[in-house]
Amino acid sequence: MEWTETLVRNEVRSFLETNWDAYKDLLEWRNKLIDAGWGMPSWPERWYGRNMPQSLQSVVAEEFARVGAVSVARTGIRLLAAETLLAHGNDAQRERYLRKILTGEETWCQLFSEPGSGSDLAGSTTRAELVGDDWIINGQKVWTTSAHHADFGLLLARHDWDVPKHQGLSYFILNFHQEGVEVHPLKQMNGHASFNQVFFNNAKIPRSDQIGASGDGWQIAMTTLMHERRNAGNIFVEARRRGDFNGPIYEQEAEENKILLEPYTWYPQRAGRVDLVLPRAKATGAINNPAARQEIAKLMIMSRCAEWTALRARAAQQQGQPQGPEGSLGKLAGSNIARQAAKVHTLISGVDAIASGEDGPESGIIAEILLSVPAISIAGGTDEIQRNIISERVLGMQKEPRMDTGPFKDVRKN
């Protein structure tokens, strides 16, 4: 079918007029939405979509927003899992997992970083040993968001120590509901506990839950990370305000989001809260200070340029272009903006910026910004990693010398 904007708008509007009911059960509605292909219309028809161009998804979103219709489950890591399965999984894995990702019945986390290999993702030392029809997993992951309520995890582990480090990795789906998996929350200095350590002690993964072949782990992980970096700012896409729409389905969705979005409540502060700068500068009179005004202008220019870069990336995605290095450009820009925003907030508030709680500026939000901003330069790949990606893949510069070639067992660690 040749999709056009008019055809898409007419079809989705007709579907919603016939089927949308805010008094339906959330799970019942999402299953109907999935069966009709309007939950993820750009996905293949075989996998609950309509083979629609990405560029027309905004039309579907407009029609859903017009009537206040709830969409499929999109928050958290689940869509990273779905996109990874679509790109690299087999039909049995897609059949087993995709629907329950979209209905929200099963939640996911991402088991990548380790204490000794955060940014050096390929240096993973979590072991995967094939015994009969099961992979036996031993090791540790850290900085794992939402592991404390995950049903499944995307796991990168090492199955072969006798080959170079990028070649010895495999990619798995790990079931959290088993013996041998322990989750320990990590308390952050900003008061939140979004992250966890996860320990594996002879945890089991059936061979049917290995994604791709042994040794494909690095390439599959890059797919996951490129989706993560491209969509880093969209974590709250489904947590929008419903305006004047009422009905029990919204209460069910709100309860779901209350659990899933709780680990991310500090993410806007991590990004620097640029939205607070101008109102506070005007309210405090800092806008009249030439030095402060210069830094504010610099921040606003950086922020607007990042928006344009994000729009370019979105346009490429809508045109069906493969994931590219624009995710690294956007993430590095986000780090620079956050640091500049923290500087500006300090210029505006002075020593009061460190006051937390209700007595602090913006009820302590400014202090939380100053504590949270350093994290954005680390999470999801450090600034240094992003600069390497940009220099090598965008600018075509020579790769830096490596000291970790050869069999991974012989590479110095930590």
Side-chain angles (χ1 to χ4, degrees):
M1 179 185 295
E2 185 69 31
W3 290 105
T4 65
E5 180 175 340
T6 301
L7 179 60
V8 170
R9 196 175 297 280
N10 289 341
E11 285 216 15
V12 71
R13 185 172 292 186
S14 174
F15 170 79
L16 291 171
E17 288 174 352
T18 303
N19 295 283
W20 167 243
D21 181 357
Y23 288 83
K24 280 185 183 294
D25 175 74
L26 180 61
L27 181 58
E28 176 190 352
W29 162 246
R30 281 179 171 164
N31 273 307
K32 184 183 288 287
L33 195 55
I34 292 164
D35 289 336
W38 289 116
M40 296 296 291
S42 65
W43 283 12
E45 285 186 23
R46 172 70 179 86
W47 303 114
Y48 318 119
R50 285 181 163 250
N51 288 325
M52 184 184 298
Q54 285 274 1
S55 57
L56 292 174
Q57 286 216 129
S58 60
V59 178
V60 179
E62 288 170 11
E63 290 301 314
F64 271 65
R66 184 178 61 83
V67 298
V70 174
S71 187
V72 292
R74 298 173 186 265
T75 48
I77 304 300
R78 51 168 52 106
L79 278 192
L80 296 183
E83 295 289 359
T84 302
L85 286 168
L86 280 174
H88 299 284
N90 57 43
D91 284 355
Q93 291 165 344
R94 294 166 184 153
E95 189 75 51
R96 164 61 184 87
Y97 295 110
L98 287 180
R99 176 178 284 271
K100 289 192 175 183
I101 286 174
L102 297 181
T103 62
E105 293 175 85
E106 293 174 344
T107 58
W108 292 67
C109 69
Q110 187 174 317
L111 299 162
F112 280 16
S113 294
E114 298 182 6
S117 56
S119 294
D120 181 22
L121 185 60
S124 173
T125 59
T126 293
R127 293 174 177 267
E129 181 183 1
L130 187 60
V131 179
D133 286 331
D134 293 319
W135 288 95
I136 306 302
I137 309 299
N138 286 282
Q140 177 187 358
K141 297 291 181 177
V142 74
W143 312 123
T144 307
T145 304
S146 298
H148 56 298
H149 56 62
D151 297 303
F152 298 96
L154 299 171
L155 172 69
L156 188 68
R158 185 165 303 282
H159 75 281
D160 191 342
W161 295 67
D162 293 320
V163 296
K165 65 180 184 179
H166 292 81
Q167 299 173 23
L169 297 168
S170 293
Y171 203 104
F172 306 93
I173 299 167
L174 179 125
N175 188 333
F176 268 68
H177 302 295
Q178 63 169 297
E179 292 184 8
V181 179
E182 292 186 16
V183 179
H184 297 271
L186 295 170
K187 188 78 169 181
Q188 300 154 216
M189 67 179 180
N190 61 8
H192 295 275
S194 304
F195 304 115
N196 303 270
Q197 297 182 85
V198 185
F199 297 90
F200 313 108
N201 183 15
N202 292 327
K204 292 184 178 180
I205 299 176
R207 293 183 71 169
S208 59
D209 277 342
Q210 180 179 0
I211 302 178
S214 297
D216 289 348
W218 179 254
Q219 288 74 21
I220 299 172
M222 290 304 97
T223 296
T224 307
L225 287 177
M226 284 189 287
H227 279 286
E228 179 185 30
R229 289 163 185 167
R230 175 175 273 182
N231 297 305
N234 298 331
I235 196 72
F236 297 100
V237 66
E238 287 303 304
R240 59 189 181 279
R241 295 178 62 184
R242 293 293 180 184
D244 297 326
F245 299 114
N246 297 298
I249 199 168
Y250 299 126
E251 296 171 10
Q252 289 181 274
E253 186 196 32
E255 189 63 29
E256 175 187 77
N257 283 334
K258 181 180 178 181
I259 297 170
L260 293 175
L261 293 177
E262 189 278 330
Y264 304 99
T265 53
W266 65 285
Y267 277 35
Q269 282 71 264
R270 183 177 81 169
R273 292 300 301 270
V274 177
D275 60 304
L276 295 178
V277 167
L278 282 178
R280 282 192 49 74
K282 293 174 182 177
T284 61
I287 197 72
N288 299 315
N289 180 320
R293 194 165 59 240
Q294 189 75 6
E295 295 300 327
I296 292 169
K298 179 180 177 181
L299 173 63
M300 294 305 165
I301 291 168
M302 293 167 64
S303 180
R304 184 56 57 88
C305 289
E307 288 177 22
W308 291 333
T309 299
L311 287 172
R312 255 198 333 270
R314 196 168 301 137
Q317 185 179 34
Q318 290 172 347
Q319 292 166 14
Q321 296 180 14
Q323 300 283 345
E326 67 272 6
S328 293
L329 289 166
K331 187 178 184 307
L332 184 59
S335 294
N336 293 332
I337 291 165
R339 283 195 293 273
Q340 178 67 11
K343 177 180 179 180
V344 169
H345 283 302
T346 305
L347 282 171
I348 292 171
S349 300
V351 294
D352 290 341
I354 62 174
S356 61
E358 292 298 319
D359 294 334
E362 295 291 323
S363 299
I365 290 294
I366 304 303
E368 188 173 315
I369 291 169
L370 301 188
L371 287 173
S372 302
V373 156
I376 200 168
S377 296
I378 302 170
T382 64
D383 289 355
E384 290 76 14
I385 293 292
Q386 308 311 324
R387 290 190 183 101
N388 277 354
I389 292 171
I390 293 164
S391 67
E392 294 171 9
R393 302 183 193 175
V394 180
L395 303 177
M397 296 172 67
Q398 184 176 354
K399 292 187 176 183
E400 64 179 357
R402 302 197 68 103
M403 307 300 291
D404 56 358
T405 57
F408 186 67
K409 66 182 180 181
D410 298 330
V411 173
R412 293 183 63 184
K413 301 167 184 67
N414 295 329

